[in-house]
Amino acid sequence: MKDLIIVESPAKARTIKNFLGSKYEVIASKGHIRDLPKYTFGIEIKDKSFHPQYTISKDHTEIVEKIKAASQKAKITYIATDEDREGEAIGFHITQALNLPYEKIPRIVFHEITKNAITHSLQNPRQIDMAKVNAQQARRLLDRIVGFKLSELISSKIQRGLSAGRVQSSALKIIVDREREIRAFKPTIYFLINAVFNTKSKNKQQTQNNSIEAELITYDKKLEKLSLQDSKAVGAMVEHIQKQQFFIKEIITKSKKTPTPPPFMTSTLQQSASSLLGFSPSRTMSIAQRLYEGVETNFGSMGVITYMRTDSLNIAKEAQKAAREMIIKTYGKEYVPAKSKNYATKSKAAQEAHEAIRPTNLDFTPQIAKSYLKPEEHRLYALIYYRFLASQSQDALFEIQNIIFTTHNQAHLIEFRASGRKLVYDGFYKIIGNDDKDKLLPECKEGEDVLLHNIESVQKSTEAPSRYSEASIIKSMESLGIGRPSTYAPTIALLVAREYVNVEKKQLVPQESAFKVIEMLESYFDEIVDSQFSAGLEDKLDEIAQAKMNWESVLWEFYQPFMQKIESGKKVIISQKVTIPTGEMCPKCGKELVQRKSKYGEFIACSGYPKCKYIKPTQQDMQSQPQEYGVCEKCGEPMVKKIGRNGEFIACSGYPKCKNTKSLTDKAQAHSVEGVACPECGGEIVKRFSRRGAFFGCKNYPKCTFISKFQPIKEKCPQCGGISVEREYRKKQVRECLKCKHRIEL
């Protein structure tokens, strides 16, 4: 008789099965098997008690039956869902679906999917933690109450289809507030006075440039940038300075340590992956999930990173030891500090039982991993791998130098400052690289006379605050205590899906619907969009998880005043829905037709909606008759012209039953790239178009699978002779080799 282990995902089930062999049956629940109903409120509230009406979704019915059958045959049934509130709740709901007492079902947890971790967890089972289950249930019910009741009100007062939520609306207000700042911003013009000094050194051995750029910092008194706003006064200052003789008053040199970065937790991983790799938070978490659940490697099937939903910076002592050994082996003893480095998160509610995100096996290096991981998986894995090694390395050391220039004539105290820096010891930069270039100053001496080679005033303007990116909004949410690691990515994805914000050039741009919703919430439900209120609720949920508060008391404390506001809002909030009578009558029910607005534009519909759903066809609809382009050779239906993101094409009118399509414009056809042969087979490289946009590939596809996102150029890589492309990398134009990734800044 086999023991049964129930996990969340099929990939994790396969990996664990490979470790344990035939003695265990491993089945995946595929996430939550029970939840609140999708289209109804689903909570019965009576006498300050909350009774959720959980149901098993249709797409989980089959898997629940499979788990029931396997559990009845098993000697022992283990719950092995993720060790967070969601995982604990999933495990509890599995026991309820199986009609088993949760107290008697062994619960096992692990932070990494390796054979040792799984074996250790089986030897040390615990009970399901009902405090965590209650915290998850409180959050789920709280979000259902807010989302269901508030969305219903917003839809009735502003526009159908809009929604609100506790975390969602708090995050949206942050984005809207920043946009308000940008719109209200008025730039201020100011000037900087910059000079170039030449040292008079005639040392023949000195080969470096003796020019030093400096900025005016004192003119009778210390200057602030915005104090130089009068162009005439600035012109007079420049004219006066040009007549002066200068010398080096002081050379200030000091050392500055740059501490090692901590290993990743969920929020910092999402931020770094966004800024360095261009991944959205949801994409980052999807890739990290695959790395955690298991891949086939030269060490066997295993999860290659620890659990990726964590707000902890803890590192296991074994992992610290392994990191130190790997640094010594790869970079040398001088890159390892005397003691292992430990980090602490600023969050009071961090789940310190978890670890930070790190590789599970440091011998599985990014170089080896490249053969086993998909390109996007490899990029994220390398980011995690090197960040973890860097966290256990030495600090970097810079030498900071400031040179102060002043005049011989002290009637006016005039001072310029030049700043430079030099990396003295690379430390952890040896592992993760250093994009900050040194700014070296020429050798010079205090008291040395210098020549004023050039001076100019540069007009500047204060800039409006920048819009939030996906990375910066996560950082802001984390600092304000809005949401938790598992909610950052879904919250941003929801705001984009609801069309409250658009992502334009990696910036979150709020749409008009966002302003309308936030304005209404600020007027009538200010606590919902108050970050302190949301953070306070998060703290209470944390206390429920620690069995310090009663979950129903917390819910009731929120529910009663909230529902009073909802009922009041139904009466006092003025509807923003605009309906303009047309004088025409509905052909279906006889009521008057009115002109309405939606997020898709204006339309004419029956005033009897929702009982009557008649919508009058527009003149464009009546005039646009589909032009036929022959008959579909697959099903015999007419072919018609359509427009897609890559231009016009023809498609079968029998869609979706028949999905036959053909190109119609030249844009969809392949264009040859002259002078560059395929590096894999020597064939012709052509430009093609797909639903994801343009790309470059070999004409011999599918025999040859060469592909590039960027257009290959004739110039070959100076290091390996491979094909190069020109692209933007970290806001700079570079020439990059597709083979060895060698980059040359253009």
Side-chain angles (χ1 to χ4, degrees):
M1 185 178 285
K2 295 181 180 182
D3 289 344
L4 173 64
I5 299 177
I6 304 172
V7 297
E8 289 183 40
S9 79
K12 189 192 295 187
R14 288 192 296 271
T15 305
I16 295 174
K17 178 68 175 173
N18 288 337
F19 291 146
L20 301 178
S22 59
K23 292 183 179 180
Y24 292 86
E25 179 71 20
V26 187
I27 299 179
S29 71
K30 298 181 181 179
H32 281 276
I33 63 170
R34 295 202 318 169
D35 199 3
L36 296 174
K38 195 170 184 179
Y39 299 109
T40 57
F41 185 50
I43 307 172
E44 183 183 347
I45 303 169
K46 188 176 181 181
D47 299 328
K48 299 183 181 181
S49 291
F50 296 79
H51 304 281
Q53 299 163 348
Y54 293 115
T55 60
I56 297 173
S57 60
K58 290 182 180 179
D59 56 346
H60 277 80
T61 303
E62 186 178 338
I63 193 66
V64 169
E65 293 303 317
K66 184 179 178 181
I67 293 173
K68 279 183 179 179
S71 179
Q72 289 168 358
K73 296 177 184 177
K75 183 180 178 182
I76 303 175
T77 297
Y78 293 93
I79 299 295
T81 48
D82 293 343
E83 194 191 6
D84 55 15
R85 293 177 198 165
E86 290 295 321
E88 209 72 22
I90 290 171
F92 171 75
H93 286 297
I94 289 171
T95 66
Q96 301 306 291
L98 298 178
N99 293 318
L100 296 173
Y102 72 87
E103 306 95 329
K104 296 182 180 180
I105 302 298
R107 167 84 162 105
I108 60 173
V109 295
F110 35 81
H111 307 299
E112 58 186 60
I113 304 177
T114 58
K115 188 171 184 178
N116 289 339
I118 305 301
T119 304
H120 182 266
S121 69
L122 287 167
Q123 294 169 351
N124 298 275
R126 63 168 173 81
Q127 285 187 346
I128 286 176
D129 186 342
M130 284 306 296
K132 283 186 177 180
V133 174
N134 288 335
Q136 188 277 339
Q137 182 166 250
R139 173 192 282 278
R140 184 72 185 93
L141 270 58
L142 184 65
D143 289 344
R144 171 54 65 96
I145 291 167
V146 174
F148 202 91
K149 300 296 184 181
L150 202 52
S151 298
E152 194 177 65
L153 182 62
I154 288 173
S155 291
S156 68
K157 297 295 183 180
I158 300 177
Q159 181 179 299
R160 188 167 177 263
L162 296 181
S163 69
R166 184 177 57 87
V167 175
Q168 166 195 336
S169 298
S170 294
L172 185 60
K173 179 173 170 19
I174 296 172
I175 297 169
V176 167
D177 283 346
R178 175 61 58 86
E179 193 69 19
R180 288 168 173 167
E181 287 182 58
I182 294 169
R183 293 182 180 184
F185 179 79
K186 294 180 179 179
T188 302
I189 302 297
Y190 66 96
F191 295 85
L192 296 178
I193 299 178
N194 297 328
V196 177
F197 295 97
N198 286 345
T199 63
K200 295 181 179 180
S201 174
K202 296 181 180 179
N203 186 350
K204 293 182 180 179
Q205 296 180 349
Q206 185 173 330
T207 58
Q208 60 186 356
N209 191 338
N210 66 345
S211 294
I212 305 175
E213 296 179 5
E215 180 183 338
L216 181 69
I217 58 170
T218 306
Y219 192 89
D220 288 338
K221 60 180 181 178
K222 291 291 181 183
L223 292 175
E224 294 180 4
K225 287 182 179 179
L226 296 185
S227 65
L228 299 174
Q229 295 179 6
D230 188 335
S231 60
K232 290 184 178 180
V234 169
M237 290 167 67
V238 169
E239 189 175 331
H240 174 71
I241 292 170
Q242 284 175 328
K243 300 174 183 178
Q244 306 302 312
Q245 300 295 319
F246 287 84
F247 72 97
I248 296 175
K249 176 184 177 182
E250 188 178 10
I251 299 176
I252 306 166
T253 302
K254 59 182 180 180
S255 296
K256 181 182 178 182
K257 277 188 177 181
T258 300
T260 53
F264 284 127
M265 54 184 178
T266 302
S267 59
T268 53
L269 177 64
Q270 290 174 352
Q271 291 165 38
S272 293
S274 176
S275 57
L276 298 177
L277 305 180
F279 292 173
S280 68
S282 55
R283 184 182 178 193
T284 298
M285 295 310 291
S286 175
I287 298 168
Q289 182 85 35
R290 298 200 299 269
L291 294 175
Y292 166 69
E293 289 177 348
V295 296
E296 290 295 331
T297 74
N298 53 327
F299 300 96
S301 178
M302 68 174 189
V304 296
I305 64 169
T306 53
Y307 191 53
M308 66 287 158
R309 292 187 182 90
T310 176
D311 51 7
S312 170
L313 293 177
N314 280 351
I315 305 171
K317 294 190 182 300
E318 297 81 3
Q320 288 179 329
K321 181 182 177 183
R324 292 169 65 84
E325 291 173 353
M326 179 58 74
I327 294 169
I328 292 171
K329 176 182 174 182
T330 309
Y331 305 100
K333 287 184 179 180
E334 65 273 20
Y335 287 96
V336 173
K339 295 181 180 180
S340 297
K341 293 197 170 184
N342 297 301
Y343 300 88
T345 179
K346 295 179 182 178
S347 172
K348 296 178 182 178
Q351 299 181 50
E352 297 298 340
H354 287 181
E355 276 195 75
I357 304 169
R358 61 168 177 83
T360 58
N361 187 338
L362 289 174
D363 289 329
F364 188 63
T365 64
Q367 290 75 23
I368 295 173
K370 198 167 187 178
S371 302
Y372 299 93
L373 303 178
K374 295 177 181 178
E376 62 179 9
E377 292 173 345
H378 177 260
R379 293 174 70 193
L380 189 66
Y381 178 71
L383 191 68
I384 294 168
Y385 186 97
Y386 290 125
R387 176 68 169 247
F388 174 62
L389 279 190
S391 74
Q392 295 302 305
S393 184
Q394 290 275 26
D395 295 342
L397 183 65
F398 284 91
E399 182 181 276
I400 309 297
Q401 191 179 59
N402 287 314
I403 301 176
I404 307 299
F405 302 91
T406 191
T407 58
H408 286 289
N409 180 3
Q410 295 296 305
H412 283 290
L413 181 58
I414 300 171
E415 290 182 336
F416 284 83
R417 179 178 60 211
S419 299
R421 78 171 194 166
K422 178 173 67 175
L423 182 62
V424 178
Y425 175 65
D426 53 0
F428 69 89
Y429 284 125
K430 182 78 172 178
I431 300 171
I432 63 173
N434 178 24
D435 288 336
D436 296 328
K437 294 182 179 179
D438 290 343
K439 182 184 177 184
L440 303 177
L441 298 176
E443 291 184 12
C444 47
K445 298 177 182 178
E446 288 186 1
E448 179 182 351
D449 285 340
V450 292
L451 297 175
L452 178 60
H453 176 70
N454 184 47
I455 184 170
E456 63 178 354
S457 62
V458 181
Q459 182 174 310
K460 296 281 186 178
S461 173
T462 54
E463 295 182 355
S466 59
R467 291 189 176 103
Y468 283 103
S469 64
E470 291 177 311
S472 60
I473 192 63
I474 287 172
K475 187 175 182 179
S476 181
M477 289 172 67
E478 181 188 26
S479 65
L480 293 170
I482 300 172
R484 285 296 181 261
S486 60
T487 63
Y488 298 142
T491 298
I492 296 170
L494 181 61
L495 293 178
V496 174
R498 295 286 188 188
E499 297 183 1
Y500 283 134
V501 299
N502 286 343
V503 182
E504 299 176 10
K505 296 181 180 180
K506 296 186 178 181
Q507 294 182 321
L508 300 176
V509 183
Q511 303 303 293
E512 202 56 40
S513 58
F515 287 92
K516 287 183 178 180
V517 169
I518 292 302
E519 285 166 6
M520 189 187 114
L521 293 178
E522 286 174 330
S523 299
Y524 298 97
F525 298 90
D526 57 317
E527 74 280 3
I528 296 298
V529 291
D530 183 356
S531 59
Q532 291 185 348
F533 175 79
S534 185
L537 277 176
E538 293 289 354
D539 291 340
K540 289 179 180 179
L541 292 171
D542 291 332
E543 295 208 3
I544 294 171
Q546 298 166 31
K548 294 179 181 179
M549 293 189 77
N550 178 274
W551 70 276
E552 289 187 295
S553 298
V554 171
L555 274 182
W556 182 255
E557 183 183 344
F558 169 81
Y559 177 79
Q560 191 178 26
F562 175 74
M563 287 307 298
Q564 288 175 352
K565 282 193 172 186
I566 289 288
E567 293 305 317
S568 173
K570 291 178 181 179
K571 300 174 183 176
V572 302
I573 297 176
I574 300 171
S575 175
Q576 297 182 39
K577 289 185 174 180
V578 178
T579 58
I580 303 172
T582 63
E584 298 179 63
M585 297 300 148
C586 175
K588 285 192 173 181
C589 70
K591 291 190 176 181
E592 188 174 18
L593 295 178
V594 293
Q595 184 175 316
R596 298 180 184 273
K597 275 187 178 181
S598 77
K599 61 182 179 181
Y600 300 111
E602 295 182 352
F603 65 100
I604 295 174
C606 181
S607 59
Y609 180 86
K611 289 185 178 180
C612 179
K613 298 180 180 179
Y614 173 77
I615 297 177
K616 181 181 178 181
T618 64
Q619 192 171 2
Q620 183 179 359
D621 292 334
M622 292 184 285
Q623 290 177 349
S624 59
Q625 298 297 324
Q627 182 180 354
E628 294 186 4
Y629 290 82
V631 177
C632 175
E633 63 270 20
K634 291 185 177 181
C635 69
E637 292 290 327
M639 297 290 283
V640 296
K641 183 172 75 171
K642 294 189 177 183
I643 299 176
R645 67 175 71 184
N646 294 312
E648 296 178 334
F649 66 99
I650 56 174
C652 180
S653 59
Y655 181 86
K657 290 183 179 180
C658 178
K659 298 179 181 179
N660 184 27
T661 62
K662 290 182 179 180
S663 64
L664 184 63
T665 65
D666 289 336
K667 188 176 180 182
Q669 297 170 358
H671 299 275
S672 175
V673 178
E674 294 183 4
V676 185
C678 173
E680 296 183 9
C681 72
E684 186 181 356
I685 295 178
V686 294
K687 183 178 182 180
R688 300 181 185 275
F689 293 87
S690 73
R691 62 189 180 88
R692 293 186 176 90
F695 68 96
F696 299 86
C698 183
K699 197 172 184 180
N700 293 330
Y701 178 84
K703 289 183 179 180
C704 178
T705 57
F706 169 77
I707 191 171
S708 170
K709 183 179 179 181
F710 305 98
Q711 180 173 343
I713 58 176
K714 294 179 182 179
E715 289 80 358
K716 293 188 176 181
C717 173
Q719 286 198 357
C720 71
I723 284 184
S724 296
V725 299
E726 291 183 357
R727 56 167 293 201
E728 184 177 315
Y729 177 75
R730 296 185 182 178
K731 299 182 180 180
K732 296 176 182 178
Q733 288 298 319
V734 299
R735 183 175 297 155
E736 179 181 86
C737 176
L738 291 177
K739 185 177 181 181
C740 70
K741 301 301 179 184
H742 174 68
R743 298 186 186 94
I744 302 172
E745 189 175 327
L746 299 176

